[in-house]
Amino acid sequence: VAKENKLIIDYSAKIEFNTKKDTLESKSFKRIAVGNHKKDGFYRIAIELIDKPSNFDVDYKDDIITITKKN
């Protein structure tokens, strides 16, 4: 089984919602899913990539996450 190329972002929060998934029309990103883990106190965003995660830069600044494909 091939290992999936994903970036995972977890947020601390006790909120409740149904998991949401969507296919993206992008040259870099295939799909996105947002899932609730209320019991554990967080929710997760999983971004499935076209390429390996090492080919992307992830920057956190002023509560904004920027994902950029390396040249």
Side-chain angles (χ1 to χ4, degrees):
V1 176
K3 189 172 183 179
E4 294 184 87
N5 291 325
K6 290 184 181 178
L7 290 176
I8 305 295
I9 303 166
D10 289 339
Y11 288 92
S12 177
K14 291 193 178 207
I15 58 174
E16 189 170 336
F17 59 89
N18 293 327
T19 296
K20 298 179 183 353
K21 297 179 183 180
D22 203 358
T23 300
L24 303 173
E25 294 181 21
S26 169
K27 293 180 181 178
S28 299
F29 310 106
K30 288 183 181 180
R31 291 186 256 318
I32 189 167
V34 181
N36 177 23
H37 298 265
K38 183 179 178 187
K39 184 180 105 181
D40 297 320
F42 73 97
Y43 67 94
R44 171 170 288 168
I45 299 173
I47 304 164
E48 189 175 341
L49 306 170
I50 299 290
D51 209 347
K52 294 183 273 187
S54 61
N55 290 332
F56 292 84
D57 286 321
V58 180
D59 184 48
Y60 305 87
K61 185 178 180 184
D62 299 327
D63 296 329
I64 296 174
I65 298 173
T66 305
I67 302 167
T68 311
K69 189 162 187 193
K70 296 177 184 177
N71 293 328

